[in-house]
Amino acid sequence: MTIIPPYLKKGDTIGIVCPAGFMPAEKLQTCMQVLMGWGYKVKAGNTVGSQYNYFSGTDQQRLEDLQQVLYAENVNAVLCGRGGYGVGRIIDKLNFKKFRKNPKWIIGYSDITVLHSHIYSRYKIASLHSPMAAAFNDDEYKNQYVQSLRIALGGKKQKYVCDVHAYNNPGTATGKLVGGNLSILSHLIGTASDINTEGKILFIEDIGEYIYNIDRMLYQLKRSGKLNKLAGLIVGSFTEVKDTVIPYGKDVYEVIFEAVKEYKYPVCFQFPVGHTRENYALKVGVDYTLHVGKRLVSLKEI
């Protein structure tokens, strides 16, 4: 059974930290104001606006900041300001003892996939793969994707729909939802944060990768048994994809299709999750039903 952290109510506090890459403090201001407009209190950690080379602080500073909000009794949820890279450097030093007794929603995506995978695989605690602080800027907090985070935090179950794709494999599947950034998932294999995908609905997305590298990561998942016993597969957005000087010969979605076409379970392509504006809030570790139809695709929390 998955442990569901308490949903938020007005007056609860959301702690914001940057456990990975640097993010200028001014880019978080709109997010903080909107969260307060939603009725929450906001507490910014020491890594908000802090910088140490690429990161928002040294490994120790980021570790201490994240540890503090995980344990703080007056913080009800943790929103990661941005991803980038860095959580994998500190994950094994985090202490989750108190968090396990008093779980709270961990919110974010990209490099935050490390946290989602770790706390679900180790402790069976749900978390939120969702838009982060930058998604609120330029009035984008009004869009349905950022608003899906607001709805999720309040505890309402949601159903998402998207258009069909030529590479889809029709069918219906029910299972716990796991996944996130493909690069992170492939690098977690063999670690303490590795996920068991058997009987699960897996979702994947990525940004800025070479096509051949996406192919390599997919084969890493295949060879390690992560794809053969899924209930279903959701392929999100793969953006800013790069090709080699000698062209790889296939686009990214064709590469993914070729890697998974042998499987009989439902597969949908270009679901709105990933490093784009179209990034719905998804509850990792929670039961969903994926329906891949001939006219519409739906993902419904059950």
Side-chain angles (χ1 to χ4, degrees), residues 14 16 23-42 44 48 79 81 132-143 146-147 149:
I14 297 176
I16 302 181
M23 186 173 196
E26 58 268 22
K27 290 192 175 182
L28 287 103
Q29 294 306 308
T30 298
C31 174
M32 296 171 71
Q33 292 168 4
V34 171
L35 292 176
M36 289 187 285
W38 290 355
Y40 303 125
K41 298 176 183 176
V42 177
V48 172
L79 172 64
M132 296 183 288
F136 287 70
N137 294 335
D138 303 318
D139 277 347
E140 288 293 332
Y141 66 87
K142 299 175 183 177
N143 71 46
V146 176
Q147 287 298 313
L149 170 60

Side-chain angles (χ1 to χ4, degrees), residues 1-67:
M1 293 290 291
T2 301
I3 298 169
I4 307 297
Y7 291 106
L8 302 191
K9 58 185 184 300
K10 288 188 176 182
D12 281 347
T13 299
I14 297 176
I16 302 181
V17 293
C18 293
F22 160 69
M23 186 173 196
E26 58 268 22
K27 290 192 175 182
L28 287 103
Q29 294 306 308
T30 298
C31 174
M32 296 171 71
Q33 292 168 4
V34 171
L35 292 176
M36 289 187 285
W38 290 355
Y40 303 125
K41 298 176 183 176
V42 177
K43 181 179 180 181
N46 294 329
T47 51
V48 172
S50 173
Q51 185 175 14
Y52 176 76
N53 299 326
Y54 169 86
F55 304 100
S56 65
T58 64
D59 286 354
Q60 187 62 32
Q61 288 170 333
R62 300 193 327 277
L63 172 66
E64 290 175 357
D65 203 32
L66 181 53
Q67 187 72 72

Side-chain angles (χ1 to χ4, degrees), residues 270-288:
Q270 291 192 318
F271 185 87
V273 59
H275 286 72
T276 66
R277 178 178 182 268
E278 294 78 25
N279 186 27
Y280 280 125
L282 301 176
K283 297 176 185 176
V284 175
V286 172
D287 288 307
Y288 283 81

Side-chain angles (χ1 to χ4, degrees), residues 86-105:
V87 178
R89 295 173 61 97
I90 63 175
I91 188 70
D92 293 321
K93 295 181 180 179
L94 284 167
N95 188 321
F96 289 93
K97 186 176 180 180
K98 290 184 180 179
F99 177 80
R100 292 172 66 184
K101 293 181 179 179
N102 298 287
K104 58 190 75 175
W105 288 103

Side-chain angles (χ1 to χ4, degrees), residues 152-165:
L153 288 172
K156 185 177 179 180
K157 295 180 180 181
Q158 299 179 81
K159 177 181 178 180
Y160 305 128
V161 297
C162 69
D163 294 332
V164 298
H165 190 281

Side-chain angles (χ1 to χ4, degrees), residues 25 50 221 243 295:
S50 173
L221 294 188
D243 204 351
R295 297 183 179 180

